[in-house]
Amino acid sequence: MNITDFTRSLNSHRTAQAFLGVAADQELTASIKPNANIRLIAKDCRTAGQDLHGLLKRMADDRSLEPHESAYFGWISKTRSLLRKLGVGEIQMNVPLAGSWMGTALTGACDLLVHGGPKAIGVVEIKTILRGEQTHPRSRDLVQLASYTSLAEQEFGVSAWASLAYCHFETRTVRIFVFRRSDRLLAPIQRQLEIAA
């Protein structure tokens, strides 16, 4: 099952309840300097998210940015800078992962698989917020992050750290929520799946 489908298959009310009281170990925030192309950011969140993730996939190549891509560059750049502050070295984009979690075969591609930081490897998911700011991680995002983290731990055979990076377009900020121990994300979902079984 695809991780997005898995996330949607869970009861949203129960998921929100499962993560009550689960707080990030660390938060980092940075401001984005305005540039002339910011006006080219898409007006709907889905398109803006697709554009941002499209640019993310391109970060390893040397081609010049299109004007609409440069509108999103500040958020990608600041996210990378904040990850470097956490001690991250290598950053891999759009990394495919597969495995089994709680008896369900899962597949997907995490936004970033990072080497270094609080532990040897980490999983980072990037989310777009068109208006306002996300001051706490959304439970559906935590489910997705927990799923990718579980698969990364299976693949690499080590405990991983995890992070959600929210790119706020209206306020021109990036806010990163860091979870140094994956069990803080995995345990609430495991309990929810056990109850539902």
Side-chain angles (χ1 to χ4, degrees), residues 27-182:
E27 285 182 39
L28 297 157
T29 306
S31 297
I32 311 302
K33 292 180 183 173
N35 71 47
N37 290 328
I38 280 185
R39 62 184 167 73
L40 300 177
I41 289 175
K43 301 299 181 220
D44 67 283
C45 198
R46 185 182 192 98
T47 304
Q50 290 170 341
D51 288 348
L52 183 84
H53 283 80
L55 177 60
L56 186 65
K57 291 175 188 174
R58 282 209 46 216
M59 293 313 294
D61 71 39
D62 294 329
R63 292 181 292 141
S64 297
L65 297 179
E66 298 293 326
H68 82 280
E69 290 176 318
S70 68
Y72 299 92
F73 181 76
W75 282 270
I76 298 292
S77 178
K78 282 295 181 185
T79 299
R80 290 172 67 155
S81 294
L82 291 175
L83 291 173
R84 299 276 189 230
K85 282 185 180 179
L86 289 169
V88 168
E90 182 184 354
I91 299 174
Q92 295 174 268
M93 283 80 67
N94 202 39
V95 177
L97 298 168
S100 177
W101 189 28
M102 296 293 293
T104 302
L106 296 176
T107 61
C110 65
D111 290 337
L112 302 177
L113 182 74
V114 298
H115 300 267
K119 292 189 176 184
I121 64 163
V123 173
V124 180
E125 281 298 296
I126 299 176
K127 302 297 177 188
T128 56
I129 306 293
L130 207 55
R131 288 176 181 61
E133 283 199 52
Q134 197 63 41
T135 57
H136 296 86
R138 296 180 297 208
S139 57
R140 69 176 184 255
D141 299 335
L142 291 172
V143 171
Q144 186 182 36
L145 181 64
S147 301
Y148 284 125
T149 303
S150 174
L151 297 186
E153 289 183 339
Q154 289 174 45
E155 184 150 334
F156 295 96
V158 296
S159 178
W161 64 281
S163 178
L164 281 170
Y166 287 102
C167 297
H168 306 104
F169 293 132
E170 182 180 46
T171 60
R172 294 198 318 267
T173 57
V174 173
R175 183 180 304 230
I176 293 181
F177 296 95
V178 178
F179 297 87
R180 295 177 181 275
R181 291 179 31 219
S182 63

